[in-house]
Amino acid sequence: MTGVDDVLALGDDALIAAQRLAEWTTNAPELEEDIALANIALDLLGQARLLLTYAGELEGEGRTEDDLAYLRGDREFRNVQLVELPRGDFADALVRMLFFALYQRELYDGLVIGDDARLAEIAAKAAKEVAYHVDHSTLWTLRLGDGTPESHRRAQEAVDRLWPYTHELFEGDVPREGWLAAVDAVLAEATLTRPSDEDSRFRPTGGRKGVHTEHLSYLLAEMQVLHRAHPGASW
Amino acid sequence: MYGNDIPEQPGTAGLLDEVAAAERDLAGRDHDASADPTAYFDAVIAADGKIEPRDEMPEAYRKGLIRQIAQHAHSEIIGMQPEGNWISRAPSLKRKAILLAKVQDEAGHGLYLYAAAETLGIDRAELYRLLLAGKQKYSSIFNYPTLTWADVGAVGWLVDGAAIVNQVPLCRCSYGPYARAMIRICKEESFHQRQGYEILYTLATGTPEQKAMAQDAVDRWWYPSLAMFGPPDTDSTHSAQSMAWKIKRFSNDDLRQKFVDMTVQQAGVLGLVLPDPGLSWNEERGHWDYTQPDYDELFTVIKGDGPCNRERMAHRQAAWDDGAWVREAAMAYAEKKKVTT
């Protein structure tokens, strides 16, 4: 199956998700959570590095993970919009992680048995990490949804705000049914309700074609500033 | 493979050997409570043994340790900020991953240390409260800003280097939980220090702009790092009692000298200049002579008027305040689960 753009898309998802999540470092509500969020960001960054390296090899023009991460403009990034949205509050972070980790679980489950051996290998490694991300975000969705009235309100707002962006995850080969069933089970136990698919025609998309929200350009400006200031330097 | 072309740093292997020796010592100790608790305390201290949480101990010993361990824990937590400042802008994905892992380790060190302090009968929430109220301090060094990427290297090399020199003797301190935490922490810190050294080595052997960036960072971090060892022995308030109780093993000035001797050699390998024209080898003493830090500046920073004191505290306060509803949710949820199961 695999084209450069497909692999770039997966690598960019992981890279941009990691960059956002890392913004929590020193800002988490508990020390334990500083550690957990940094840990998950590190896992995602590790996935991004493997995927971008592979994409560079497929492309065959000698571009490294760093060339791809630091020297592409925002119209060249292939990530879904969900992962580039601003950091938000803790409910945003954990609900987004729930949606994204459950998607990655479906994705990697498919790649592990797919015919691209290299992707299967990357997916097998990543699947173990994603299982942990799913656990962590599930637990927090339950705590926030079924915690206090304030945390319930915030968690519900995060679900409502992020839901429209989840449609873009399923424009490719990953089936939505398994994901939807898993999300529904967690939200139900967390006493949260998800928007019905009929409720809104707002279904943002375009990330896979390099059409993003206004947020990505700022994220990249920050991420790339130093690398771009010293062309050709080693770090 | 990462780091294979980086030369060895003189002076660091000995420190790690000391950590390993402290760990071996620890394994051999037997804990034997005696009929007379006060005599027991004195005997354990005299015999270089370990005081454990349930042992009787003088109130001043307990309070002093709480103060010292808490300050140490707070330093780990506040110390995440200057380095965390560069995670989003790290110049390669490898460096970003290393830095993220390092800052995560620091949070872990904070956790060990808060846990060690809790064995003395105080809880973490109370220690946070004291930090945020300005009643407990953290290391003055973290009130300096990280202005360039090279600062991340300088913090690793100099600040972590100074921390290790300071902390290795604590691996043998008389309070068991603190000594054991320090053994774990020193091993990880020495790894971080090595990474900082590698960042600087890469910059110092890179483009002229990179080398200038490295030198500038060393120029700004050298004296604050020297000041980390505290005031000169003539002005130090806690020293005598800490020495007698074997919490502290060497004086501020002894440790500072050890750090200077090690660092001068390493700077030579890096090809960077330490910003002290007074550095010269003293054949008679067998040590490097150096110019003392500006202790007035140190006290200004300790009293809260350094470059970043206000920002560091405001950042910690904001994270704590913004997280209140999350902590409340976690508690409410735990309560519900307790009732239903």
Side-chain angles (χ1 to χ4, degrees), chain A residues 19 26 32 70 222 234-235, chain B residues 88 90 95-96 124 210 315:
Chain A
Q19 180 79 3
T26 74
E32 285 81 353
Y70 290 96
E222 185 175 346
S234 302
W235 300 96
Chain B
S88 67
R95 290 293 179 201
K96 189 192 291 286
R124 201 207 303 180
Q210 285 178 305
H315 186 119

Side-chain angles (χ1 to χ4, degrees), chain B residues 178-195:
Chain B
Y178 193 25
R180 290 188 288 271
M182 290 322 302
I183 287 170
R184 289 181 67 177
I185 290 173
C186 281
K187 289 180 186 175
E188 291 177 3
E189 289 291 2
S190 110
F191 186 58
H192 297 159
Q193 193 266 353
R194 168 93 189 167
Q195 289 166 341

Side-chain angles (χ1 to χ4, degrees), chain A:
Chain A
M1 77 155 211
T2 327
V4 178
D5 271 1
D6 299 319
V7 181
L8 267 185
L10 308 186
D12 286 350
D13 282 352
L15 176 62
I16 303 301
Q19 180 79 3
R20 273 292 181 236
L21 200 54
E23 291 176 17
W24 277 98
T25 308
T26 74
N27 289 305
E30 281 281 16
L31 211 40
E32 285 81 353
E33 216 40 36
D34 256 311
I35 295 175
L37 297 182
N39 207 334
I40 293 169
L42 257 178
D43 288 344
L44 290 169
L45 184 56
Q47 294 170 21
R49 295 180 64 190
L50 294 171
L51 289 162
L52 292 181
T53 299
Y54 183 37
E57 288 169 23
L58 284 175
E59 186 186 52
E61 288 171 26
R63 289 207 281 181
T64 64
E65 60 178 31
D66 285 338
D67 294 333
L68 290 168
Y70 290 96
L71 299 174
R72 279 183 298 154
D74 37 301
R75 290 283 283 112
E76 295 167 280
F77 269 77
R78 293 284 174 265
N79 58 283
V80 291
Q81 294 183 1
L82 177 71
V83 296
E84 75 199 36
L85 297 175
R87 174 158 76 91
D89 67 10
F90 191 74
D92 274 287
L94 273 296
V95 169
R96 170 161 37 180
M97 189 191 295
L98 178 75
F99 292 164
F100 185 63
L102 284 171
Y103 155 76
Q104 279 199 317
R105 188 169 76 181
E106 300 288 319
L107 167 78
Y108 289 134
D109 281 353
L111 292 178
V112 166
I113 52 167
D115 43 16
D116 185 322
R118 181 73 172 275
L119 274 184
E121 193 185 314
I122 295 173
K125 177 181 184 296
K128 292 177 199 144
E129 298 164 353
V130 169
Y132 165 69
H133 309 169
V134 166
D135 271 356
H136 193 75
S137 54
T138 297
L139 252 175
W140 271 111
T141 304
L142 299 179
R143 287 185 188 123
L144 298 180
D146 195 17
T148 63
E150 167 76 355
S151 70
H152 178 86
R153 178 186 67 78
R154 288 182 185 247
Q156 185 62 55
E157 280 178 14
V159 169
D160 294 345
R161 189 160 44 235
L162 297 171
W163 190 259
Y165 293 89
T166 62
H167 293 285
E168 193 183 8
L169 294 167
F170 303 99
E171 289 172 0
D173 299 332
V174 179
R176 186 160 178 263
E177 297 71 37
W179 177 85
L180 199 56
V183 168
D184 277 345
V186 178
L187 293 185
E189 193 184 340
T191 72
L192 297 165
T193 45
R194 71 164 170 88
S196 91
D197 283 346
E198 287 72 43
D199 275 359
S200 171
R201 295 172 61 188
F202 176 55
R203 292 187 183 189
T205 181
R208 297 289 187 227
K209 295 192 180 74
V211 178
H212 292 278
T213 65
E214 292 178 345
H215 307 292
L216 182 68
S217 184
Y218 290 97
L219 180 150
L220 294 181
E222 185 175 346
M223 185 173 87
Q224 298 176 341
V225 59
L226 177 60
H227 188 96
R228 285 186 184 263
H230 297 265
S234 302
W235 300 96

Side-chain angles (χ1 to χ4, degrees), chain B residues 88-122:
Chain B
S88 67
R89 292 172 293 165
S92 74
L93 297 185
K94 183 180 85 180
R95 290 293 179 201
K96 189 192 291 286
I98 291 171
L99 182 58
L100 194 48
K102 177 182 178 184
V103 177
Q104 184 193 16
D105 277 352
E106 282 160 6
H109 296 171
L111 271 185
Y112 307 157
L113 288 162
Y114 284 123
E118 285 186 332
T119 64
L120 291 159
I122 188 159

